[in-house]
Amino acid sequence: MRHSLPLAPQFYVTAPQTCPYLEGKRERKLFTALQGEHAEKLNDSLSKQGFRRSQNVLYRPSCSDCAACLSARIRVADFAPSKSQRRALRANEGLVREARSPWATEEQYALFRSYLDSRHADGGMADMDVFEFAAMIEETPVRSRVIEYRDSAADNELMAVCLTDVLDDGLSMVYSFFRPDLPKRSLGSYVILDHIEIAREAGLPYVYLGYWVPGSAKMGYKAKFSALEVFLGGKWQVLKNPAVYESEAHPLSIDPIAEQVARLTLPDTRPVSG
C-alpha cells in the first residue's frame, strides 16, 4: 500500500509482524526512503516528528490497535544526572571517546555479536551477519558518526560503540552496543550520558533516544533520564510518571495512514530562484 503527497516523498506501510516489545501485539511501520540531495533535510524534519533512521529508510510505528511506542528525546540544557548515573560516569572515567566515519570493523562486529548473544538472542537482529552489520553502519545518506569508547587502562580495549546521526537540532542515537558482561559499569547508560555531553559541547539542544515503550522491560531504562520528552499527539511533551501511560489503544482511536501522512510537515526542497 502506498500513500503520497504531491511533490513529496512516498510513504509505505509494512505488513504486520510480531511486536518485539510487547507480548501478543503486532507491529506495523510507516516508512519512506531516505535518498537524494535532500536526505539530510528529510531526516531532520521527520526525526522531529517521531521517525527513526535505519540505513536509507525513515520509519515510525503505526500499529492498527496499539500506540505504545513513543519517540523519546532528552533536553540537554535541563538534564541533571541521577545518583546512579553519576556512579556510571565515575565507573567509566577511564574510557576514551573517538568519533569515526561510519565504517564497520571486525572488532566492532565481534563486540556487536557478544552484545546480541547476551542481551537480544531472540530479537530481530540475532541472525545479523558481518555483511548486514556493515550495511547497518555504512549505508547512510546523512551525516553519521561511529563513536567508539575504549578503555585506556585495558590495552585500549573496545568497550562500547554507538552509531550516531548528527541532526540540525541534536544527536540521534541510531544504535548502540557494549560489553554485556560488566553490568556494574552501566555502559549503556554511560554512552547516553556521554552523548548528552557531546551535544552540550556542540550547542545542540536534544539527544534522540529512539522509542520508549511503557510496559517493555527492554525500554524501561530510558524513562530514568531526566528532562525526557516523548512525541505524543503530534507534539513533544514532557514525560510524566511512566505509570500513567497506557500501552493499549482502541482501534478507532488510531488515525488512518493517509491522515497520518497528510499531517506530516515536510522540508521545502524547491530550488531557490536566482
Side-chain angles (χ1 to χ4, degrees):
M1 184 182 299
R2 185 179 74 188
H3 303 271
S4 63
L5 291 172
L7 302 177
Q10 295 177 336
F11 288 84
Y12 304 82
V13 181
T14 63
Q17 300 178 4
T18 301
C19 177
Y21 303 119
L22 298 175
E23 187 175 354
K25 293 292 185 180
R26 303 279 285 173
E27 74 165 359
R28 186 181 67 175
K29 295 175 181 175
L30 175 68
F31 70 96
T32 187
L34 186 62
Q35 57 191 5
E37 61 180 315
H38 302 299
E40 287 201 0
K41 284 186 177 181
L42 186 62
N43 192 36
D44 289 340
S45 179
L46 291 186
S47 292
K48 297 169 188 173
Q49 299 171 76
F51 281 74
R52 293 283 288 169
R53 184 182 72 82
S54 177
Q55 294 173 235
N56 60 352
V57 169
L58 284 171
Y59 70 91
R60 187 175 75 182
S62 182
C63 304
S64 59
D65 61 354
C66 179
C69 294
L70 301 175
S71 187
R73 70 184 186 185
I74 296 170
R75 295 191 316 279
V76 171
D78 298 324
F79 173 77
S82 65
K83 185 176 180 180
S84 63
Q85 289 163 355
R86 289 195 296 271
R87 285 199 299 269
L89 289 169
R90 290 194 297 270
N92 294 287
E93 287 179 344
L95 294 189
V96 177
R97 174 215 307 157
E98 184 172 356
R100 297 176 172 270
S101 297
W103 190 256
T105 67
E106 292 183 3
E107 186 182 26
Q108 293 169 6
Y109 181 67
L111 180 62
F112 173 75
R113 283 267 33 118
S114 175
Y115 171 78
L116 283 186
D117 293 343
S118 175
R119 297 291 186 95
H120 303 286
D122 57 348
M125 303 172 74
D127 297 327
M128 184 178 287
D129 62 27
V130 66
F131 301 105
E132 293 167 322
F133 173 77
M136 179 181 76
I137 298 292
E138 298 172 10
E139 291 183 8
T140 170
V142 299
R143 187 182 175 194
S144 303
R145 296 290 184 270
V146 172
I147 301 181
E148 296 183 345
Y149 296 88
R150 296 181 178 275
D151 193 338
S152 59
D155 295 326
N156 215 32
E157 180 182 358
L158 184 64
M159 304 292 284
V161 176
C162 187
L163 174 61
T164 303
D165 286 351
V166 183
L167 308 177
D168 63 355
D169 71 340
L171 301 177
S172 177
M173 299 179 66
V174 177
Y175 194 80
S176 62
F177 51 97
F178 47 87
R179 274 191 55 174
D181 57 334
L182 300 171
K184 291 185 178 181
R185 293 188 63 167
S186 301
L187 285 164
S189 293
Y190 173 77
V191 171
I192 295 175
L193 293 167
D194 190 63
H195 273 66
I196 295 171
E197 184 58 29
I198 297 171
R200 181 178 286 116
E201 292 170 355
L204 297 170
Y206 300 108
V207 171
Y208 290 80
L209 300 182
Y211 296 107
W212 172 65
V213 186
S216 170
K218 293 180 180 179
M219 295 295 177
Y221 69 92
K222 296 179 183 180
K224 297 179 181 180
F225 286 82
S226 66
L228 194 73
E229 298 179 344
V230 292
F231 191 76
L232 181 63
K235 62 182 179 180
W236 290 96
Q237 306 178 21
V238 175
L239 180 71
K240 303 174 184 176
N241 184 337
V244 309
Y245 290 87
E246 180 59 59
S247 63
E248 303 290 338
H250 190 280
L252 296 181
S253 69
I254 307 296
D255 293 327
I257 294 295
E259 291 185 18
Q260 295 181 39
V261 173
R263 284 200 297 271
L264 293 175
T265 300
L266 299 172
D268 185 358
T269 58
R270 293 172 298 181
V272 179
S273 57

